[in-house]
Amino acid sequence: MSDVLPTPHRSVPRRRARGPLARAARGLAGVLLAVAVAELLLRVAVGGAHLAPPVFRNAQADARRYVLEPGSQAAVRQFGRTISLSVAADGTRRTPAAPARASRIVHLVGDSQVFGWGLSDDETIASRLQARLGDTVAVVNHGVPGYGAEGYLAALASIPASDRVIVLHAEENDGADAYGLARNGGAACGFLVSLSLDAGPLTCAGMRLRLVELGFVAWSAFQHRHAMTPLGFSAHSQVAAAVLYPRIADGYAQERARRGDRLSFSVVPWKGRYAQSSDDYLPPPLPQAETLPSPLPDDLAMPHRFALRADRLALFLDGDTHLSPAGADFLAGVLHEAYFRPDVAAAVTP
């Protein structure tokens, strides 16, 4: 027997792989973990809400390149608060208190101002008008962000000639939107996008990450940090306005003839009429912008009505040009008084 005691077996630790692929894998894992944590924290911060409305789909019919997705709904964090947004089965934004059956129907046609960008379902112009009219009249909200005169005419073509219609143009951009000069490219995965995207499952999963949504919102804000002065409100665009705005008015001639006094027009005033800064709008607006008559069809002198309000800037969202809840309610009140109150309506329209 040997008098040499056996040496206990000692395991030799394996050396950690240090190749470039291993380092890349560890780096990727670290990035994915950081993204997952950031995504979770962002979702918690916004209460799970989206950062842009995911309620659109592409359309191939007539002049409308995209429409609202029927039956869609979402909570959306916009302008410092969370709004509720839902689309009715007919593809119009839902007016919560609208009766299922009513003796009369009133249709509001327009773009994001009528849609209620940044507003909950019960804060839109249509909802505030519905609250004043009661359950004998149903108000239908045909507003779709990014639409212009072509989209409005397409909407009018789908509305029975016997129904009451009010078209509300947006002074800020309806001149440019009218003939495709500034129009969103379409919809992908429910969102409005300016580029054509393959809307496959993987793409949509990525687009619905709140971090990706935040990136799109930030990029859009960066691109629009200098807003374009509306056509007709600057010395540079008066010639274009002189050509485009009569074409817009001419486009409604057939609808006026078909509908008579059941068709009315007004505008949502451009916020820059009442608050201008050299840093906000390019090219520089005309100095008398606040007192200029609207270049769009307007039966109610709406810009003047806004100008009479001492709190007129509060009628728009802080940091944005869309109507605030107070602004939508005020405009709905003007429409109600002009067209639906028996004691004053006869003086405005039959």
Side-chain angles (χ1 to χ4, degrees):
M1 177 181 289
S2 171
D3 59 351
V4 179
L5 297 175
T7 303
H9 176 73
R10 300 172 65 183
S11 61
V12 179
R14 298 179 60 183
R15 296 184 63 185
R16 195 175 185 182
R18 298 182 183 277
L21 290 179
R23 288 195 297 270
R26 289 197 299 272
L28 178 59
V31 169
L32 292 177
L33 178 61
V35 169
V37 171
E39 174 74 10
L40 177 61
L41 292 175
L42 181 55
R43 286 179 181 250
V44 170
V46 299
H50 287 277
L51 302 179
V55 295
F56 303 93
R57 65 174 176 83
N58 284 319
Q60 303 300 325
D62 52 62
R64 295 172 287 189
R65 299 183 64 183
Y66 56 84
V67 294
L68 301 182
E69 179 67 54
S72 58
Q73 57 184 348
V76 185
R77 186 74 177 176
Q78 289 183 297
F79 310 112
R81 65 196 193 107
T82 300
I83 64 167
S84 59
L85 193 162
S86 55
V87 181
D90 63 357
T92 61
R93 184 162 186 187
R94 192 169 72 91
T95 304
R101 292 179 176 80
S103 58
R104 290 186 296 164
I105 300 177
V106 176
H107 303 264
L108 298 186
V109 175
D111 70 348
S112 55
Q113 295 282 18
V114 171
F115 171 83
W117 191 263
L119 304 181
S120 284
D121 291 336
D122 60 354
E123 296 174 332
T124 66
I125 299 169
S127 288
R128 302 321 303 155
L129 180 59
Q130 182 71 67
R132 289 170 167 82
L133 292 175
D135 58 6
T136 62
V137 181
V139 181
V140 182
N141 182 348
H142 293 269
V144 180
Y147 273 21
E150 285 183 326
Y152 303 162
L153 286 168
L156 286 168
S158 69
I159 298 172
S162 58
D163 287 355
R164 189 78 170 83
V165 183
I166 302 172
V167 178
L168 289 172
H169 281 281
E171 285 190 323
E172 181 177 11
N173 51 22
D174 268 355
D177 285 346
Y179 295 97
L181 299 182
R183 179 181 294 168
N184 287 296
C189 307
F191 300 100
L192 290 182
V193 294
S194 57
L195 300 174
S196 177
L197 294 175
D198 178 18
L202 187 60
T203 299
C204 292
M207 290 183 67
R208 287 178 178 270
L209 290 173
R210 301 306 187 265
L211 286 173
V212 174
E213 292 180 20
L214 180 61
F216 278 118
V217 171
W219 175 246
S220 178
F222 174 78
Q223 285 185 309
H224 298 93
R225 64 192 185 280
H226 295 298
M228 183 175 66
T229 300
L231 297 182
F233 286 90
S234 76
H236 299 74
S237 63
Q238 289 182 320
V239 173
V243 174
L244 279 177
Y245 286 126
R247 288 179 64 188
I248 293 173
D250 289 345
Y252 293 119
Q254 183 175 350
E255 285 295 330
R256 283 188 181 274
R258 186 164 76 99
R259 297 177 180 275
D261 57 19
R262 291 182 296 276
L263 175 62
S264 303
F265 295 91
S266 193
V267 299
V268 178
W270 171 47
K271 184 180 181 180
R273 280 179 174 271
Y274 318 112
Q276 296 178 12
S277 167
S278 58
D279 296 330
D280 292 338
Y281 299 102
L282 293 173
L286 294 168
Q288 69 272 28
E290 181 171 350
T291 59
L292 288 176
S294 180
L296 290 156
D298 181 19
D299 302 330
L300 299 176
M302 195 68 75
H304 177 66
R305 293 173 184 262
F306 271 62
L308 292 176
R309 291 282 298 253
D311 63 343
R312 54 186 174 272
L313 292 183
L315 302 180
F316 301 89
L317 292 169
D318 186 24
D320 190 76
T321 57
H322 288 90
L323 292 177
S324 65
D329 188 67
F330 172 70
L331 198 149
V334 173
L335 298 180
H336 179 248
E337 181 176 293
Y339 297 123
F340 302 102
R341 278 187 54 189
D343 54 334
V344 297
V348 181
T349 187

